[in-house]
Amino acid sequence: MLSRLVYFSVEGDVGAQGILRILDEAREGNRGEEITGVLAFDRHWFLQCLEGPRDAVTRKFLAIARDQRHSGVTLVAFEGISSRLFPDWTMGAMDASGLDREAFDPPSMTASAALATLRGLRATGATM
């Protein structure tokens, strides 16, 4: 059974190189776990969607929650799914720093709004 998990957290001032390290680690680790997803970020927030086998997604989220590179990890949604929204990305990345605060404010987003934001960023080509 596939699951989708969405969370947000406060970015811990990791900088551009830190973001690249996070992405490299995620892409390598997710490949072996059959996890796909996307990480959106600006200078304050991380918003991430993970998709894959329920146990693998749960383990990954617990590891993320312990990661010192961010704080205030908040679960937005965790649900069973029949298909993935981001099937081609072991971990896609989208820079949301060009959006205004109202357009990218994860604490104010519902689960459907968070997913719509991630899909919208992908459609605008804000990926890296």
Side-chain angles (χ1 to χ4, degrees):
M1 170 161 196
L2 292 176
S3 293
R4 176 178 299 124
L5 185 145
V6 179
Y7 79 89
F8 70 86
S9 63
V10 177
E11 188 265 331
D13 196 28
V14 298
Q17 292 303 313
I19 295 286
L20 293 175
R21 274 192 300 280
I22 288 169
L23 293 171
D24 286 345
E25 291 167 13
R27 289 171 178 150
E28 182 65 30
N30 291 354
R31 192 171 291 117
E33 298 268 2
E34 298 180 18
I35 294 174
T36 59
V38 63
L39 173 68
F41 56 89
D42 66 3
R43 290 177 187 88
H44 187 71
W45 300 110
F46 287 135
L47 175 64
Q48 186 169 27
C49 173
L50 300 170
E51 299 172 322
R54 183 178 192 86
D55 289 346
V57 168
T58 299
R59 280 191 306 277
K60 182 64 70 172
F61 178 67
L62 292 174
I64 287 168
R66 292 186 301 268
D67 193 316
Q68 298 297 308
R69 294 174 286 192
H70 61 150
S71 62
V73 176
T74 303
L75 183 64
V76 175
F78 190 39
E79 61 188 346
I81 57 173
S82 58
S83 63
R84 300 174 192 242
L85 292 175
F86 306 101
D88 300 326
W89 288 345
T90 53
M91 186 47 55
M94 297 184 275
D95 184 350
S97 59
L99 299 178
D100 63 35
R101 179 59 46 211
E102 291 178 15
F104 192 73
D105 184 29
S108 70
M109 294 178 183
T110 63
S112 60
L115 289 171
T117 298
L118 293 171
R119 287 192 308 264
L121 282 166
R122 179 179 60 184
T124 63
T127 60
M128 46 181 296

